[in-house]
Amino acid sequence: ASESEAQRALQYEQTLMYGRYTQDLGTFAKDEAARLRLQQGHGEGDIPRPRRPSELLEYTQGRCAACRVCTLQCQRFLISKVGEDWVFLILLGLVMALVSWAMDFAIATCLQAQKWMYGGLDTNVLLQYLAWVTYPTVLITFSAGFTQILAPQAVGSGIPEMKTILRGIVLKEYLTFKTFVAKVIGLTCALGSGMPLGKEGPFVHIASMCAALLSRFLSLFGGFYENEARNIEMLAAACAVGVGCCFAAPIGGVLFSIEVTSTFFAVRNYWRGFFAATFSAFIFRVLAVWNKDEETITALFKTRFRLDFPFDLQELPAFAVIGIASGFGGALFVYLNRKIVQFMRRQKTINRFLMKKRLLFPALVTLLISTLTFPPGFGQFMAGQLTQKDTLVTLFDNQTWAKQELSDEFEYLGILEAWRHPRSNVFVTLVVFILMKFWMSALATTIPVPCGAFMPVFVIGAAFGRLVGESMAAWFPDGIHTNSNTYRIVPGGYAVVGAAALSGAVTHTVSTAVIVFELTGQISHILPVMIAVILANAVAQSLQPSLYDSIIRIKKLPYLPELGWGHHEKYNMRVEDIMVRDIRYVTLNCKYRDLQHVLHSTKMKSLPLVESAESMILLGSIERTQVGALLSYQLSPQCRLQALRQKAQTEDRHRLSDASICFQISTEASSGALPHGTPRKPLKSALKRVPSSPVESPPAGTADHTGIALKNLFCANSAAEPTEAQGMAYRKAKHVRISIVEEMDLGDRMTPAEILEWEEQQLDQLVDFSSAKIDPAPFQLVEHTSLHKTHTIFSLLGLDHAYVTSIGRLVGMVSLKELRKAIEGSLTAKGVKVRPPLASFRDSTASASEPDTTALNQLWDRHQHHPMPREAGP
Amino acid sequence: ASESEAQRALQYEQTLMYGRYTQDLGTFAKDEAARLRLQQGHGEGDIPRPRRPSELLEYTQGRCAACRVCTLQCQRFLISKVGEDWVFLILLGLVMALVSWAMDFAIATCLQAQKWMYGGLDTNVLLQYLAWVTYPTVLITFSAGFTQILAPQAVGSGIPEMKTILRGIVLKEYLTFKTFVAKVIGLTCALGSGMPLGKEGPFVHIASMCAALLSRFLSLFGGFYENEARNIEMLAAACAVGVGCCFAAPIGGVLFSIEVTSTFFAVRNYWRGFFAATFSAFIFRVLAVWNKDEETITALFKTRFRLDFPFDLQELPAFAVIGIASGFGGALFVYLNRKIVQFMRRQKTINRFLMKKRLLFPALVTLLISTLTFPPGFGQFMAGQLTQKDTLVTLFDNQTWAKQELSDEFEYLGILEAWRHPRSNVFVTLVVFILMKFWMSALATTIPVPCGAFMPVFVIGAAFGRLVGESMAAWFPDGIHTNSNTYRIVPGGYAVVGAAALSGAVTHTVSTAVIVFELTGQISHILPVMIAVILANAVAQSLQPSLYDSIIRIKKLPYLPELGWGHHEKYNMRVEDIMVRDIRYVTLNCKYRDLQHVLHSTKMKSLPLVESAESMILLGSIERTQVGALLSYQLSPQCRLQALRQKAQTEDRHRLSDASICFQISTEASSGALPHGTPRKPLKSALKRVPSSPVESPPAGTADHTGIALKNLFCANSAAEPTEAQGMAYRKAKHVRISIVEEMDLGDRMTPAEILEWEEQQLDQLVDFSSAKIDPAPFQLVEHTSLHKTHTIFSLLGLDHAYVTSIGRLVGMVSLKELRKAIEGSLTAKGVKVRPPLASFRDSTASASEPDTTALNQLWDRHQHHPMPREAGP
């Protein structure tokens, strides 16, 4: 199942958000449209161009139409005054809040149904078990099947994909309506099953799809919704909305989405994100009030810890311990998750079987997990009957669970009951809960349904924090300070800290701290939370990539790893150490044969265009497809046709110069058909038919091209300059010849051997680049650019590759691949070993003079090998 | 006073953080060092190179030294293992927390002293008044004088300067130790005076200076602290620390510093900022606990609003009103502040007088403000006796001040007393407070002392919120919902919302919301705060620039305005509309005369280097200083010396070829002095003396240059190739000649007329660029690049200018100036009117086909005027 994911993930396409300086996509589209229109205009006359909706409306009859036109115009006026961005963001927030609320409602109903079924069958344990197990299995299987059929792109979290998309890479089918439907329905079913799955990641994806669809919808009303750069900005805001309306946490949502999806963040998008996320969270919570779930707008998991003395200074070591342990736990989770995926892939026999029965794996996993959580069975030791939400509510509870001196004073009430077991104590339950949920969550998130891992991890973290808190409370029953006013330890606070720390460790984010504050509605534990989150991050980041980066690697999405903390050798390494030196290029004066050779020898998506192989001055870059088009046009039947015509015409001329008798004959053979007064017209129409021949659609710009070739033809004739009479006769003869040629099937007139010979001739011609689209300013670096700066530029501009130049001369190329390898510390493409991670350590202890002189020698050598383009005399 | 500020502010220098691809500053420094060392090595033999401290230590005697070496090595090991970043950030956080705490302590002491003086003199109102007024006047005057003398750069907030520095522009003297001392002491005195001034902005500056100094200090222990890009990253973290330890608000600090100082933010810096700010805030609060000020770590201005029902849904309109009014208020504040500065500048007579007596203006303003706040005077109507901190504490108070039905039940206790006036009610006091403080703060922040405006604005906002809250409480005495359970309105919550909204409006930030949560320790009002802040921002951003941008404009710092919301025409405008077309350039085959001409005709800091005036292929860019150096070297006395030598030598050769008799003589004249076995050495030493002649310090790279010139000299000689004996004799003769020439004062040997003639000759030579540093990859754009994209690239990479190329050919240039003008909608340099702001509106209503065809025509025209560099034959 995961392998097919990987295959699917490879269907991406590079767009170079900022790297493509040639033309905006918009401009390109306009040019294309204009060209088409021009062709039409010259062609079959005035075909009425397609009108915009409002123009169409103006022509329809009736008062209703006039009214609608008025409304549309008002709307347009409003949009242009208020700002389209605002309208867009408000709509996005509104839609996402509604979706979130509706999904929550549906999920709650699903869970209620399961509880009701389970509760109703309490007479028979077997029936109860069957109900408990069948219900989630059916839901998960349906979810997996539904997504598989409708849009397999909807599987999984979505954050890794969004990270890739925001880097400027287009993933096919990831932002379509079909995927939207699949994700919403699939996610509702998956969460409704009660499996340990989350909704945060999918919500980011859903919000992005929503933004993309809304953008397309609003573009019907005109405006500039087609702009690509703007779409990226809106997607960034949408990610914030996704997190924001999932947890009703606008600030945390914005920050989380920034941390998870971006490397460099535009502060102006931050604003948009805040606006949309706040609006969305507001609507989301207002819906809850309107539905009478809540009395007023409050936090989702409101806590009621005391304000005046939230925690003691001496408790901080315990919080730090939570942070460090969470760091290890988070790294372990990521590792476990990846190992499960890799294990499933490697087991070929299992894999082949599962691939055939795609739905078997989800069903089996669900069966296993729900069996283990069956409340009368093993579930009783791990609070199995609680839903994720109830679990969180109980874990954040204000009371202390551990038995204290006055053991009977404290009553387990309501859902808290689940944590108490008559034959064991709370500590055992918590430990079992943490251990079981840990592997269950890691396993469950590999099921091919839309699901996230944030919430399960959050719950595990909360349980771990609670465990530490309860232990502390048992250890210091009267609080740590036993002098004057006793403040007891609040285990709920530890749960909050643990939840933030573990989720922060798994996702490598600090903003989980903010999410926790917004979720609980209390910020009193800010320092413990921050300390724990930072420690957890420090530990986890040094051990494993984040969960999302791990998925990106598993799915083989094109990514650029982050420069780690304190890896100073990145500052010392330079582009010249990692660049590829022998690159294929196209010269301005090359032949078509060279193009063919280059296309065969490299797989690069764009080729550098240099002035000549000697000077190597970089003029621009040309896309592979463009080169292919040039080549295929040169060898196309149209060209063959032209060549034939040219050949025929030369023959004609020969005949004309040899004897003027044959001229008489040939004229007579066609005089009836030719209108003598207008000798040019048939030629024209004959020529016109060439580009519209259905043999092969010509590449862009062929129309001009043919024109040039024919003009040359005429020029060649005028150069020959026969006498007046001869010229007239010659011209007529040519017409005849051409019209005859036209009527015949030209392709068949050449034998394959002839064609081969002709093609060889064609390949020996010089390339005409005038019709090819050339990017005149591809991104350039110099050999001295440090790896650190290169990384910065690549991630800032979303580059795919950059050329390395030395005073205009092309000397190498760096692509994402080389950069990735260099950062990961492996070998470069040239086999040069990149400095080991401890290089900086070595440098700082060794004497400082050595590297300097080496650098100097290099400089000298380079200077001698590559002198300036021209050196003035003394 | 402000004019001198503006003058000072213009002393900036462009470094092009990412734009300078040529070489890192570090690399450059290394190369320079290596070159110097090489010179030394070739020169007078082995001068021991300067050693690093630790190496020096190793040579010193005694156990203590060995111990110290060991310590240093341990330290180095630790640093390289743990990561220098961590050590740096921990140190930064620690130092800043200590500075912040110490300053707070000193300020509190100052304020206490004033209160004590005022309280002690309660027998005589006049004496009381004098004490009340003199104390702040003296402090402010001292602060102004001290900063003026020690470091005038310390004046003002510092955030505008930091924004400029983080954009990659070096402001001189802004990050030095002197400025640090001036800012810390000046700020302490200014805040100790009790004027409505803030400490947030200055703290950002102080933290940045601290980071810069710490960086320089740590670089003594080796490592990579010299890296420029890294320093920028550390400064970004330092800004976060500044805000964080000022308010003990790590999250808000990070976000505020991002919003205020960056356009594009690297997420990896975010991490650093969080770490350092949290650590700093933690230490800052721990110090308070340690000092027994607090029992445990809590918020600075802790509130105790009820958690279960923080606000009613129906109160939201009131919060929205606060937001919108704050938006207008914030814009008004920025406007007022700017107008005051401009008024003071424009009044020439006042200005001249004040310039003479620089300290008069601060003293007068302080006198005015403190007179008005004198508690027994007008101050009684505006709670004048309260310090800023006390004001905030009272405004965030949990109780309702407005008289309710049971009017006598509520007692004004302690500092709350200040808000009650026997002859007026709370509303009047609040209104007077808001109005008076508003203009006072706007005026006070123009005083040339280190001060910020955040805190005063925050207080005014809180007062305004309180006013609205009290009004609401008076209007709905039993809460809005009067059905079942009555929840009264909490006016303190309104104060929190107002504070966040007004400070957000003035600074154009959303993160004031987070700061407010961290300051009060409660997040229950998150939605009202967010709504108010966003509305306030929306209103303020559409009316005025932020306070910091306003100061940037006043100080004329180099800045790039933000692209506003919904200004869609930015997507339609292109580089070709705004670029400068006639630019001065340097060709590769130009003469020195051309260089001179170019230098006279333009003021650009760097010049494009093209292949030739016909091809215009851009090869790189060369700095103005480099061009100047080339030119001045060509006309320098050294060159004249060489020319003379060459001339003399040709004369010699003539003499040699004429007769070999004189050879005998000349050899004999010097044979005693010359060691025959080593004929080269004296020549070398003679040559070596040339660059070290004190006439004029040679430009960088002259050493090589001289070498090349001399090599050429040798080559020319070897080309002449006399016979063996002749050659020997010739060589000897030359030595003699040169040593003779050396001993004479060469400059005097030419008459001014000769010098002029010689210079003219020199100017006609072709330029030798081999010794000049050329940036081989200056940033390039193409004509089609949209303004939006250009803005993005400029702010992403911190560019100063970019060349516009068309397939390698230089066609224009865009600098910050043009971009700024284009964004501000004024005329471009070429007089082409940029599209008016409503262009996009016009476009969307007009028929869509027209612009397309125009674009097409343009494309055609351009295509015809600029054909491809070379067109292949048919």
Side-chain angles (χ1 to χ4, degrees), chain B residues 373-423:
Chain B
T373 55
F374 183 52
F378 191 73
Q380 63 188 304
F381 299 103
M382 53 175 284
Q385 78 220 52
L386 292 182
T387 62
Q388 221 169 40
K389 198 175 170 177
D390 289 339
T391 315
L392 260 189
V393 169
T394 52
L395 287 174
F396 288 167
D397 192 79
N398 218 359
Q399 290 160 310
T400 311
W401 299 348
K403 290 214 173 70
Q404 291 166 21
E405 289 152 31
L406 336 153
S407 60
D408 291 57
E409 183 195 43
F410 168 60
E411 295 276 320
Y412 286 89
L413 293 168
I415 47 174
L416 273 185
E417 184 65 37
W419 289 101
R420 193 175 60 167
H421 192 263
R423 271 164 298 164

Side-chain angles (χ1 to χ4, degrees), chain B residues 196 318-319 321-330 333 388 391-392 394-396 401 419 430-431 433-439 441 453-470 491-506 512 516 529 532-533 536:
Chain B
F319 293 122
V321 165
I322 293 182
I324 292 168
S326 295
F328 285 108
F333 185 87
Q388 221 169 40
T391 315
L392 260 189
T394 52
L395 287 174
F396 288 167
W401 299 348
W419 289 101
L430 276 172
V431 169
F433 177 86
I434 293 165
L435 291 180
M436 297 301 285
K437 281 281 174 180
F438 196 83
W439 69 261
S441 303
F454 186 88
M455 220 42 200
V457 166
F458 195 81
V459 171
I460 297 168
F464 176 69
R466 185 95 208 178
L467 180 66
V468 175
E470 293 289 343
Y494 286 78
V496 169
V497 171
L502 193 63
S503 50
V506 168
T512 50
V516 152
V529 168
V533 166

Side-chain angles (χ1 to χ4, degrees), chain B residues 522-691:
Chain B
Q522 281 205 306
I523 205 171
S524 51
H525 278 75
I526 177 159
L527 265 177
V529 168
M530 289 301 296
I531 289 170
V533 166
I534 283 174
L535 286 174
N537 262 288
V539 172
Q541 289 191 11
S542 62
L543 293 175
Q544 283 284 322
S546 83
L547 182 65
Y548 305 120
D549 284 341
S550 164
I551 294 174
I552 283 181
R553 285 191 205 184
I554 289 172
K555 290 196 171 182
K556 297 208 173 66
L557 296 171
Y559 80 109
L560 186 61
E562 276 304 295
L563 288 176
W565 265 55
H567 290 276
H568 314 136
E569 74 275 14
K570 265 79 198 186
Y571 291 98
N572 298 337
M573 224 151 67
R574 290 174 181 176
V575 161
E576 58 190 344
D577 299 331
I578 60 166
M579 70 183 179
V580 178
R581 277 169 206 275
D582 63 330
I583 41 173
R584 301 277 163 263
Y585 53 86
V586 176
T587 61
L588 202 58
N589 51 0
C590 70
K591 292 173 179 165
Y592 283 97
R593 193 177 302 285
D594 302 327
L595 289 191
Q596 202 180 25
H597 181 68
V598 165
L599 282 187
H600 284 163
S601 63
T602 180
K603 288 205 176 347
M604 289 197 298
K605 282 204 175 153
S606 71
L607 295 161
L609 176 69
V610 299
E611 200 193 29
S612 67
E614 297 80 44
S615 76
M616 285 297 278
I617 286 182
L618 185 69
L619 295 178
S621 90
I622 181 165
E623 275 181 35
R624 191 190 175 83
T625 52
Q626 287 282 323
V627 174
L630 278 178
L631 200 59
S632 68
Y633 176 71
Q634 183 73 0
L635 302 180
S636 65
Q638 285 106 297
C639 265
R640 218 150 63 214
L641 179 81
Q642 270 182 28
L644 274 181
R645 232 180 262 153
Q646 220 160 346
K647 207 169 141 196
Q649 171 201 319
T650 358
E651 277 166 21
D652 272 3
R653 217 187 302 162
H654 274 290
R655 239 179 284 163
L656 282 171
S657 57
D658 281 356
S660 54
I661 311 153
C662 79
F663 144 66
Q664 203 74 18
I665 303 159
S666 59
T667 320
E668 242 149 49
S670 59
S671 58
L674 277 173
H676 279 259
T678 55
R680 283 230 148 150
K681 221 180 165 189
L683 171 66
K684 243 185 179 171
S685 66
L687 293 179
K688 269 271 91 89
R689 230 173 290 164
V690 177

Side-chain angles (χ1 to χ4, degrees), chain B residues 333-343 446 544-547 550-551 553-554:
Chain B
F333 185 87
V334 174
Y335 179 79
L336 196 62
N337 184 279
R338 195 171 57 240
K339 281 295 152 196
I340 291 172
V341 173
Q342 283 170 353
F343 175 79
T446 64
Q544 283 284 322
S546 83
L547 182 65
S550 164
I551 294 174
R553 285 191 205 184
I554 289 172

Side-chain angles (χ1 to χ4, degrees), chain A residues 416-731:
Chain A
L416 273 185
E417 184 66 37
W419 290 100
R420 194 175 58 165
H421 192 264
R423 270 164 299 164
S424 76
N425 66 3
V426 166
F427 295 103
V428 175
T429 317
L430 276 171
V431 169
V432 170
F433 177 87
I434 293 165
L435 291 180
M436 297 302 286
K437 282 281 173 180
F438 196 83
W439 69 260
M440 280 178 184
S441 304
L443 179 61
T445 45
T446 64
I447 301 177
V449 291
C451 66
F454 187 88
M455 219 43 197
V457 166
F458 195 80
V459 171
I460 296 167
F464 176 69
R466 185 95 208 177
L467 179 65
V468 175
E470 294 289 344
S471 312
M472 287 290 286
W475 194 6
F476 303 103
D478 297 316
I480 292 174
H481 264 296
T482 41
N483 42 8
S484 54
N485 38 7
T486 339
Y487 289 113
R488 294 238 173 105
I489 283 168
V490 185
Y494 285 78
V496 169
V497 172
L502 193 63
S503 50
V506 167
T507 56
H508 285 198
T509 56
V510 200
S511 50
T512 50
V514 184
I515 291 180
V516 152
F517 301 141
E518 291 182 280
L519 267 184
T520 60
Q522 282 205 306
I523 203 171
S524 51
H525 279 74
I526 176 162
L527 265 178
V529 167
M530 290 301 295
I531 289 170
V533 166
I534 283 175
L535 286 174
N537 263 286
V539 172
Q541 289 191 10
S542 62
L543 293 175
Q544 284 283 322
S546 83
L547 182 64
Y548 305 120
D549 284 340
S550 164
I551 294 174
I552 283 181
R553 284 191 204 184
I554 290 173
K555 289 194 171 181
K556 296 206 175 67
L557 296 171
Y559 80 109
L560 187 62
E562 276 304 293
L563 288 176
W565 265 54
H567 291 277
H568 312 135
E569 73 275 14
K570 266 78 195 188
Y571 292 98
N572 297 337
M573 225 151 68
R574 291 173 180 177
V575 162
E576 58 189 345
D577 300 331
I578 60 166
M579 70 182 181
V580 177
R581 279 170 204 277
D582 64 330
I583 41 173
R584 302 277 162 262
Y585 53 85
V586 176
T587 61
L588 202 58
N589 51 359
C590 71
K591 292 171 178 166
Y592 283 96
R593 191 178 302 285
D594 302 327
L595 289 191
Q596 202 180 25
H597 181 68
V598 165
L599 282 187
H600 284 162
S601 63
T602 181
K603 288 203 175 349
M604 289 197 297
K605 282 204 175 153
S606 71
L607 295 161
L609 177 69
V610 299
E611 202 193 30
S612 67
E614 296 80 43
S615 76
M616 285 297 278
I617 286 181
L618 185 68
L619 294 178
S621 90
I622 180 166
E623 274 181 34
R624 190 190 176 82
T625 52
Q626 286 283 323
V627 175
L630 278 178
L631 199 59
S632 68
Y633 174 69
Q634 183 72 1
L635 301 180
S636 67
Q638 285 104 299
C639 266
R640 218 152 61 214
L641 180 79
Q642 271 182 28
L644 273 183
R645 235 181 258 151
Q646 220 161 343
K647 203 170 146 197
Q649 170 200 319
T650 2
E651 275 169 20
D652 272 4
R653 218 187 303 161
H654 272 290
R655 238 180 285 164
L656 282 171
S657 57
D658 281 355
S660 54
I661 310 152
C662 79
F663 144 65
Q664 204 73 16
I665 301 161
S666 60
T667 318
E668 242 148 54
S670 60
S671 59
L674 274 176
H676 280 258
T678 55
R680 282 236 150 143
K681 219 181 165 189
L683 172 67
K684 237 185 183 171
S685 66
L687 293 179
K688 267 273 88 86
R689 229 173 292 163
V690 176
S692 60
S693 69
V695 186
E696 188 181 329
S697 72
T702 1
D704 317 359
H705 205 61
T706 330
I708 290 167
L710 282 162
K711 257 181 256 158
N712 289 336
L713 202 130
F714 271 115
C715 292
N717 293 348
S718 62
E721 197 70 81
T723 64
E724 178 74 2
Q726 237 182 354
M728 270 301 291
Y730 156 66
R731 237 176 281 142

Side-chain angles (χ1 to χ4, degrees), chain A residues 523-524 526-527, chain B residues 100-101 104 199-200 203 242-250 281 284-289 293-294 296-304 388-390 392-394 396 454-455 458 515-522:
Chain A
I523 203 171
S524 51
I526 176 162
L527 265 178
Chain B
S100 179
W101 185 78
D104 272 7
K199 69 174 206 172
E200 190 180 49
F203 253 72
V243 186
C245 72
C246 173
F247 292 146
F284 178 59
R285 296 308 288 157
V286 162
L287 282 172
V289 176
D293 290 342
E294 309 252 359
T296 186
I297 294 177
T298 47
L300 267 184
F301 297 101
K302 200 161 64 178
T303 54
R304 284 182 184 77
Q388 221 169 40
K389 198 175 170 177
D390 289 339
L392 260 189
V393 169
T394 52
F396 288 167
F454 186 88
M455 220 42 200
F458 195 81
I515 291 180
V516 152
F517 301 140
E518 291 182 281
L519 268 183
T520 60
Q522 281 205 306

